[in-house]
Amino acid sequence: MLQKSYSEGVGAGFPLTQNIRYQLAKNRVDDLFIKWLTLPQTQKLVHQLIKDVREGKQNNLITQPNAFFTNKMTMSGMSQSALLSSPNKKSLGPSTPPRADSFHETKSRIPEDLSQSLTQSQIIQKKLHVEEVSNYDLVAQFYFPTQEINLQLQQEQNKIINEIFGKAEQIDASHFEQITTNLCGLCKYLTRILMTAVEGTGNKISKTAFIKYWNQQLAQKEPKQRCFHILKKPKNDFIQFDDFKPFMKILLEQHPGLEFLQATPEFQERYADTVIHRIFFHLCRKDNNKITWRDFKSSNLFDILDVLGKEDDINKIRQYFSYEHFYVIYCKFWELDGDHDFHISKDDFSRYSSHGLSRKVVDRIFDQIPRRFRSQIDQKMSYEDFIYFILCEEDKTTIQSIEYWFKVIDLDDNGIITGFEMDYFYEELKQRMDYLNHEPILFHDFVCQMVDLLHPENDILFKLSHFKQNLTVCGVFFNFLTNLNKLIAYENRDPFQVRNDIVDHPDFTDWDRFAYQEYVRLAMEEENQEQGEVFEGDNIWDNEDSKQ
């Protein structure tokens, strides 16, 4: 049926599929032609043409086609007379072959001394090229590919530069800070980094050098783009781990909330590394030590840096920079690192959360299934690896965490978690609950509960997309399969206490709540130790290990 031809109309003699394409193309051309006719410029042109015809004037647009169109058709073998002939005129024979001397005719109309050094394409370009204005350098730039210039804004920016520099040719960092904040719209702790980018030094900066750098690099960028531009290396289009170190060094020297760390350089270094690792955890989705402009643009890091420059209490900035959060992460790692070589073994790691993780989960993590270790020592977890783990473990509402734990549970790496894989991990936790004389949860009930939470298309076939669509309930699913303590805590939870926690801290994430509770606990332990009291843990698994 598709090969049936129309017997009449424009499509006569053509197959049905070709006729449909022709009709669609014709409709599209008609739409574009009507849209063109409605333009004010087109209407003005048509009225002018009609006026010229009525007055008997000869118009170049009618008598002669566009030069570019004529030359293109000449090169393709179509003569100008054919262009101007009626489309309905019947052809008396085959079309005339292209003339071999068309190039020479074009060439003959160009001065002889110039035509000898030009190729055919150059001659055509020369003939069609609009005559350049000799003083084009005097014309101000009016087209900006990235952003349309705002003349009023440009005047305000120039006013700020002149007011800050005044009559001085050079200013120091204290005065240049106003340039960083008022003109560039950046965090004040980026002042010295910006000065280094302009002149290679963070001591003094000249007005001439800054204006040149400003016009070439920053003027046409938004504040967020400026921040990204000065943080990265000039040769790169991404930010690496080391690019944040100069900023962190300045922050540790100047921020009032971090003054107490100046007496302990080792903790300064650990704090800086922790902050940068947390930034890369959230921004570097590919986990390749490269934060691209797309990653930076879609994140809230720029806004956090802006708050950082205005807030003196570092702990109020919970994202990335909180010292309390760093303290919790570092102490958790230090508790596991028995020999304090800054690497933890599988046995050390199994003690995390009071042996809450199952042995099967620990094996999967140390087999580097969810994420390859950055540690240089085989079968050892580095501090960076531990930061990535604890952020995934204590907040299972982030995309990074969901992908991490999905890989742990997905044994065959086929992108689907089946009932067999769920039962494989749940079996160990059920045996440990029996050992503790805790009433176990039936696997069937657990599966039904997960199906109700995640709504998969097929029962007991969970895909990664199901978890990404239900971020708030993912923690329940993975905790039931990986962490005994969290499983029991969820079953014994007090709904009123959960509600009160949410009411008291409505803007807290799961990680914020965990870090807050752990910091309070660690502070109490430290206070008890200072008073001579010894804190005895009530972890049954540690007691069993000591008996053995």
Side-chain angles (χ1 to χ4, degrees):
M1 297 295 293
L2 291 178
Q3 298 301 322
K4 182 178 179 180
S5 302
Y6 284 105
S7 59
E8 59 183 3
V10 181
F14 291 94
L16 176 59
T17 54
Q18 294 184 13
N19 188 270
I20 292 175
R21 292 188 187 126
Y22 169 80
Q23 291 294 337
L24 292 174
K26 181 178 181 301
N27 293 338
R28 180 59 177 165
V29 172
D30 292 341
D31 292 340
L32 292 175
F33 180 69
I34 293 174
K35 185 180 295 185
W36 178 75
L37 285 177
T38 58
L39 294 175
Q41 301 91 329
T42 308
Q43 296 179 4
K44 183 178 179 181
L45 175 63
V46 172
H47 287 305
Q48 182 64 38
L49 292 174
I50 295 174
K51 182 180 178 181
D52 291 345
V53 171
R54 288 177 177 175
E55 295 178 356
K57 296 181 180 179
Q58 193 174 15
N59 195 292
N60 293 332
L61 293 176
I62 298 178
T63 59
Q64 185 176 1
N66 183 274
F68 175 79
F69 178 72
T70 305
N71 280 277
K72 285 290 185 181
M73 299 307 293
T74 301
M75 292 181 63
S76 64
M78 184 177 295
S79 62
Q80 184 169 344
S81 59
L83 291 173
L84 299 177
S85 62
S86 172
N88 296 325
K89 185 178 180 179
K90 295 183 180 181
S91 176
L92 300 177
S95 60
T96 305
R99 294 175 58 182
D101 58 345
S102 60
F103 166 68
H104 299 286
E105 287 186 0
T106 307
K107 185 175 180 180
S108 63
R109 291 192 290 269
I110 299 177
E112 184 177 357
D113 58 340
L114 178 64
S115 63
Q116 293 177 356
S117 59
L118 297 178
T119 63
Q120 179 178 359
S121 59
Q122 288 174 330
I123 290 174
I124 297 174
Q125 292 176 7
K126 187 71 178 179
K127 182 175 177 60
L128 299 178
H129 197 276
V130 180
E131 183 179 357
E132 296 183 356
V133 182
S134 59
N135 59 345
Y136 69 92
D137 289 331
L138 301 179
V139 180
Q141 182 179 0
F142 59 88
Y143 172 66
F144 299 89
T146 57
Q147 181 181 358
E148 186 176 353
I149 189 65
N150 187 326
L151 297 179
Q152 183 178 357
L153 178 61
Q154 189 180 45
Q155 294 176 356
E156 294 176 357
Q157 292 171 347
N158 293 334
K159 183 180 179 181
I160 294 175
I161 295 174
N162 293 328
E163 288 179 352
I164 295 176
F165 275 92
K167 296 182 179 180
E169 179 59 27
Q170 288 186 333
I171 58 175
D172 57 15
S174 60
H175 292 88
F176 190 74
E177 183 179 306
Q178 301 177 53
I179 292 285
T180 307
T181 55
N182 299 340
L183 178 64
C184 301
L186 303 176
C187 169
K188 64 181 181 180
Y189 298 112
L190 291 168
T191 299
R192 279 163 52 185
I193 297 178
L194 179 56
M195 294 177 68
T196 303
V198 175
E199 290 221 53
T201 177
N203 299 325
K204 286 191 173 183
I205 187 169
S206 66
K207 182 178 180 180
T208 304
F210 173 72
I211 291 178
K212 179 180 179 182
Y213 183 85
W214 169 259
N215 291 330
Q216 292 180 352
Q217 304 293 340
L218 302 181
Q220 301 307 317
K221 291 183 173 65
E222 297 178 351
K224 184 176 285 192
Q225 288 178 292
R226 296 168 188 162
C227 182
F228 178 81
H229 180 80
I230 67 174
L231 281 174
K232 69 180 182 66
K233 295 182 179 67
K235 63 180 181 179
N236 295 337
D237 56 356
F238 50 83
I239 300 176
Q240 293 180 300
F241 184 89
D242 293 339
D243 295 336
F244 280 105
K245 287 190 174 182
F247 171 77
M248 292 304 303
K249 182 180 179 181
I250 297 171
L251 182 68
L252 287 163
E253 292 175 355
Q254 300 181 3
H255 198 283
L258 297 172
E259 288 181 355
F260 67 96
L261 280 178
Q262 294 180 2
T264 54
E266 181 182 355
F267 274 93
Q268 283 186 323
E269 182 181 355
R270 300 306 180 197
Y271 170 79
D273 290 344
T274 304
V275 170
I276 300 174
H277 285 312
R278 289 185 66 186
I279 291 174
F280 271 82
F281 173 83
H282 288 282
L283 271 66
C284 186
R285 291 298 312 280
K286 294 183 178 180
D287 196 19
N288 58 356
N289 191 34
K290 294 180 181 179
I291 296 177
T292 63
W293 164 239
R294 182 178 181 181
D295 300 328
F296 190 88
K297 182 180 179 180
S298 60
S299 72
N300 64 347
L301 179 58
F302 177 78
D303 299 325
I304 299 299
L305 292 177
D306 183 61
V307 176
L308 185 66
K310 303 173 183 177
E311 179 59 60
D312 291 341
D313 188 353
I314 197 69
N315 291 317
K316 289 185 178 180
I317 310 173
R318 297 190 305 275
Q319 290 184 294
Y320 314 125
F321 294 96
S322 171
Y323 177 81
E324 292 180 354
H325 291 191
F326 154 72
Y327 187 78
V328 169
I329 294 174
Y330 187 82
C331 289
K332 281 287 186 180
F333 182 83
W334 190 258
E335 290 174 355
L336 300 178
D337 185 16
D339 53 4
H340 302 311
D341 62 347
F342 233 65
H343 288 83
I344 55 180
S345 63
K346 182 186 292 188
D347 292 336
D348 295 333
F349 180 75
S350 64
R351 292 188 287 109
Y352 180 81
S353 185
S354 300
H355 295 274
L357 297 173
S358 68
R359 174 59 65 175
K360 294 176 181 178
V361 169
V362 173
D363 291 340
R364 293 279 290 176
I365 292 175
F366 269 76
D367 288 339
Q368 305 179 38
I369 302 299
R371 182 178 185 266
R372 185 170 296 278
F373 286 171
R374 302 299 190 268
S375 173
Q376 302 298 323
I377 303 176
D378 188 35
Q379 288 300 305
K380 291 278 189 174
M381 177 182 282
S382 66
Y383 183 58
E384 176 187 352
D385 301 322
F386 180 78
I387 293 174
Y388 199 98
F389 160 77
I390 195 173
L391 293 176
C392 289
E393 166 62 14
E394 303 304 339
D395 188 356
K396 295 185 174 71
T397 61
T398 64
I399 298 297
Q400 295 86 338
S401 175
I402 292 173
E403 293 175 350
Y404 185 94
W405 290 109
F406 190 91
K407 293 177 183 177
V408 171
I409 305 300
D410 187 12
L411 295 175
D412 52 5
D413 192 25
N414 66 343
I416 299 175
I417 295 178
T418 62
F420 169 78
E421 292 164 331
M422 295 166 62
D423 183 60
Y424 173 80
F425 286 96
Y426 185 74
E427 181 183 7
E428 181 179 346
L429 299 185
K430 181 177 179 299
Q431 293 175 357
R432 295 175 66 181
M433 282 190 287
D434 291 338
Y435 180 83
L436 295 174
N437 293 324
H438 189 283
E439 182 179 359
I441 304 170
L442 296 178
F443 179 73
H444 179 269
D445 295 339
F446 161 66
V447 172
C448 291
Q449 188 175 0
M450 295 303 102
V451 170
D452 293 339
L453 287 175
L454 298 174
H455 309 291
E457 294 84 0
N458 299 316
D459 290 346
I460 324 182
L461 290 178
F462 299 94
K463 300 178 181 179
L464 185 60
S465 58
H466 298 143
F467 296 95
K468 291 184 176 181
Q469 294 169 4
N470 301 275
L471 296 177
T472 57
V473 300
C474 295
V476 179
F477 181 93
F478 292 116
N479 288 338
F480 263 72
L481 301 177
T482 60
N483 195 311
L484 176 63
N485 295 335
K486 292 185 177 181
L487 187 157
I488 296 177
Y490 180 81
E491 287 297 307
N492 298 332
R493 71 190 183 283
D494 182 359
F496 296 101
Q497 183 61 40
V498 173
R499 180 178 176 276
N500 291 336
D501 291 341
I502 296 176
V503 172
D504 293 340
H505 305 287
D507 58 336
F508 273 28
T509 63
D510 288 353
W511 166 256
D512 294 333
R513 294 188 179 88
F514 165 79
Y516 174 77
Q517 296 169 359
E518 282 298 308
Y519 184 80
V520 172
R521 181 185 69 82
L522 292 169
M524 292 178 59
E525 288 184 13
E526 186 175 352
E527 183 179 354
N528 292 336
Q529 291 176 1
E530 290 177 354
Q531 296 175 358
E533 300 178 9
V534 179
F535 180 80
E536 295 290 347
D538 57 353
N539 177 23
I540 183 173
W541 303 108
D542 284 330
N543 296 336
E544 288 295 324
D545 291 343
S546 61
K547 291 179 182 180
Q548 295 177 358

